[in-house]
Amino acid sequence: MSTAPEGLPSTIRHWIGGELVDAADGRTFDVTDPVSNTVYTQAARGARDDVQRAVEAARAVFPGWSGISNRERARVLYRVADAVEARHDRLARFESYDSGLPITQAKGQARRAAENFRYFADVIVALGEEAFRQGEEQFSYVVRTPVGVAGLITPWNTPFMLESWKLAPALAAGCTLVLKPAEWTPLSASLWPEIFAEAGVPAGVVNIVHGIGEEAGQALVDHPDVPLISFTGSTDTGRHIIRSSAEHLKTTSMELGGKSPVVVFADADIEAALDSVVFGVFSLNGERCTAGSRVLVERPLYEEFTRRLAERAERVKVGLPSDPATEVGALVHTEHYERVLNYVEIGKKEARLVAGGVRPGHLTEGNYLQPTVFADVSRDARIFQEEIFGPVVAVAPFDEEAEAIELANATQFGLAAYIWTSDLKRGHRIAHAVESGMVWINSHNVRDLRTPFGGVKASGVGREGGAHSIDFYTESKIVHVALGEVHTPRFGAAS
């Protein structure tokens, strides 16, 4: 049985204009923990009126927040980072309890969130603007201005860190904003009001509206005074948001689903590749967009690698999220748990189950699944093509480089890819040929905050990360100035 952390709120309320408020119509929704699947609190159920209040609050303070210097905004972001780190233990307990994330993995979220704020504080201070000179005749320069009120819609996996990934650049760029956290995991977002207040973020700059995606999220997407939407979540929802955003021609950034390939050649460092595959698909309970959930192994290595992967999967410790020894915790919600179990049953009909696929015997309740490995998976199998978003991996063989590329590209997704080979020339060839927004060669998912993050095909639209994030949250205006005498053709001057 999971032990509830201290300090759980009896109700998770909106934060609008610097005040904690209930939903305008007084409605709430239940929030459950994934270990017992029992209700432990309620959250305000936002709708159109709540989003309207939040947008009005954000618009009212936009001139003041956008008008201060980049350096001053950076100072505020540094204070936010300090306030986040000061709550790292409480944040980890909240995140683990609410999402089922193992506590050892949840403990890194505060550090990563704080680093996002410090990084974008550095970016906005150091970022210059472009200037162009056309000989002695003309000079042109770029003015970068914040877009306005940003709408941020975040997912339920590692929610606090992914909220910070959007909050930090939006604030650094000078936007005010409305954040709609995921309804399945709203607990850690309840810490943001005290963090922002402690850091001195002016009231109304950040507003948080909780609620169901089809209600609060839709109202945010539809609002005519929110010119920008940043969304992380499923591809189907992303498509819907883009369609809805077309009405007001909103700028959108969509980080969507993934079915990322891991290509392992026979000359790879097998130990390093095995470690990377196991960690990459089973950490964070397998609930990560960049998980290497399709493992393509060159045939001479295929049987050995598949056998050892299955052995490792069977030894992964599944347990209470609060147990420091746990490597895979409870899946986030009963609805998602049933979805993943359904894919396991589909996989049993499509491929050869070599590990997992069942609830661990020592865990009689909660959303638990032993890490699952399917072998001999065909390219048209659903478990090869569709995102499962759980601790499930599909393994398939290939015979030559061209086939590896074809299989890697044989899905609608294109977020990440991983390549393992001792032949770096081949590694670069594969990296260039694979259809994905990000590629790692002989490495697991090590992020550099300066680099662009995003996917191609059904994995997303746009890029965030580093200066790309500031580009997204700002508009660029080019100003042209004549330096000398202007020689304009004189139409209509002849008598």
Side-chain angles (χ1 to χ4, degrees):
M1 178 65 66
S2 178
T3 302
E6 296 181 0
L8 289 179
S10 58
T11 303
I12 299 173
R13 306 170 78 192
H14 302 323
W15 196 50
I16 299 175
E19 296 182 354
L20 292 169
V21 297
D22 296 323
D25 59 9
R27 293 190 304 163
T28 61
F29 64 92
D30 292 339
V31 184
T32 61
D33 79 88
V35 169
S36 67
N37 289 315
T38 57
V39 176
Y40 71 86
T41 191
Q42 283 78 39
R45 184 165 179 162
R48 197 163 300 277
D49 288 346
D50 304 284
V51 169
Q52 178 64 32
R53 285 191 296 166
V55 173
E56 289 175 354
R59 289 190 70 195
V61 300
F62 174 70
W65 179 249
S66 63
I68 65 175
S69 70
N70 291 344
R71 174 66 71 183
E72 183 56 34
R73 284 200 298 274
R75 291 191 184 101
V76 176
L77 265 62
Y78 286 130
R79 295 198 295 269
V80 171
D82 291 342
V84 167
E85 284 194 330
R87 291 161 174 80
H88 66 95
D89 283 339
R90 185 180 176 200
L91 167 60
R93 290 194 299 271
F94 275 22
E95 198 84 310
S96 178
Y97 182 75
D98 195 33
S99 70
L101 189 68
I103 188 65
T104 52
Q105 295 167 44
K107 284 184 176 179
Q109 301 307 304
R111 179 187 56 78
R112 292 186 64 189
E115 181 59 22
N116 282 331
F117 281 95
R118 293 195 179 102
Y119 171 75
F120 282 107
D122 292 341
V123 167
I124 200 62
V125 171
L127 191 64
E129 293 172 325
E130 297 174 292
F132 307 89
R133 181 170 178 170
Q134 296 94 50
E136 301 297 325
E137 299 177 357
Q138 187 125 331
F139 179 76
S140 306
Y141 62 93
V142 175
V143 176
R144 190 191 298 271
T145 57
V147 169
V149 178
L152 313 180
I153 304 175
T154 51
W156 46 258
N157 60 319
T158 60
F160 191 87
M161 191 280 293
L162 290 176
E163 288 157 6
S164 75
W165 172 241
K166 298 183 187 295
L167 288 164
L171 293 173
C175 291
T176 55
L177 59 92
V178 179
L179 168 68
K180 208 297 282 185
E183 56 262 37
W184 283 353
T185 53
L187 180 58
S188 59
S190 68
L191 298 176
W192 284 120
E194 64 185 56
I195 288 169
F196 287 127
E198 181 180 304
V201 177
V205 169
V206 177
N207 303 275
I208 302 174
V209 177
H210 294 278
I212 308 304
E214 292 83 354
E215 298 171 353
Q218 187 67 58
L220 186 58
V221 170
D222 290 342
H223 201 290
D225 294 325
V226 179
L228 175 152
I229 298 291
S230 177
F231 170 75
T232 299
S234 74
T235 296
D236 286 344
T237 303
R239 289 191 177 107
H240 175 79
I241 290 174
I242 290 174
R243 285 192 294 267
S244 298
S245 298
E247 174 67 22
H248 297 290
L249 298 177
K250 295 177 186 276
T251 300
T252 60
S253 175
M254 301 282 118
E255 196 269 280
L256 307 176
K259 193 70 176 176
S260 300
V262 184
V263 182
V264 183
F265 285 92
D267 65 349
D269 180 336
I270 186 172
E271 299 298 334
L274 192 62
D275 286 345
S276 179
V277 167
V278 173
F279 180 81
V281 74
F282 298 141
S283 62
L284 304 183
N285 299 344
E287 298 166 329
R288 59 189 306 163
C289 56
T290 55
S293 55
R294 291 184 299 135
V295 180
L296 313 175
V297 186
E298 193 170 15
R299 197 170 300 273
L301 184 61
Y302 178 73
E303 291 298 335
E304 178 187 357
F305 194 91
T306 302
R307 174 183 56 79
R308 294 185 62 184
L309 174 57
E311 291 170 353
R312 289 281 294 273
E314 292 285 6
R315 292 199 297 267
V316 169
K317 181 171 176 53
V318 183
L320 288 174
S322 57
D323 184 349
T326 292
E327 295 170 321
V328 170
L331 299 188
V332 66
H333 191 273
T334 53
E335 183 179 322
H336 181 63
Y337 181 53
E338 291 301 322
R339 178 180 181 275
V340 173
L341 291 182
N342 183 57
Y343 271 111
V344 171
E345 293 307 308
I346 291 170
K348 289 176 182 178
K349 299 173 184 177
E350 294 182 322
R352 177 166 57 99
L353 177 66
V354 294
V358 296
R359 171 190 291 276
H362 65 289
L363 297 165
T364 58
E365 65 174 6
N367 306 330
Y368 293 104
L369 175 66
Q370 186 66 37
T372 300
V373 181
F374 287 102
D376 308 338
V377 183
S378 66
R379 61 182 293 160
D380 59 348
R382 289 184 63 184
I383 61 170
F384 188 92
Q385 292 290 334
E386 299 174 21
E387 184 177 40
I388 299 173
F389 219 65
V392 181
V393 62
V395 190
F398 68 87
D399 290 300
E400 56 186 20
E401 184 177 316
E403 184 185 8
I405 294 170
E406 182 185 13
L407 288 172
N409 293 337
T411 75
Q412 64 171 323
F413 298 106
L415 185 58
Y418 307 87
I419 302 161
W420 289 89
T421 177
S422 62
D423 182 345
L424 287 183
K425 290 182 180 179
R426 176 166 59 190
H428 285 286
R429 286 196 304 270
I430 303 289
H432 288 219
V434 73
E435 296 168 350
S436 67
M438 299 169 287
V439 182
W440 282 266
I441 301 174
N442 296 334
S443 170
H444 66 281
N445 188 340
V446 178
R447 282 293 320 286
D448 185 324
L449 293 179
R450 297 170 295 181
T451 60
F453 188 98
V456 301
K457 301 194 293 188
S459 287
V461 175
R463 295 291 183 273
E464 296 187 50
H468 298 271
S469 289
I470 305 301
D471 288 341
F472 175 66
Y473 291 103
T474 57
E475 296 283 7
S476 293
K477 178 188 297 183
I478 184 72
V479 180
H480 303 281
V481 183
L483 298 178
E485 185 176 351
V486 178
H487 300 285
T488 305
R490 303 190 69 207
F491 278 27
S495 58

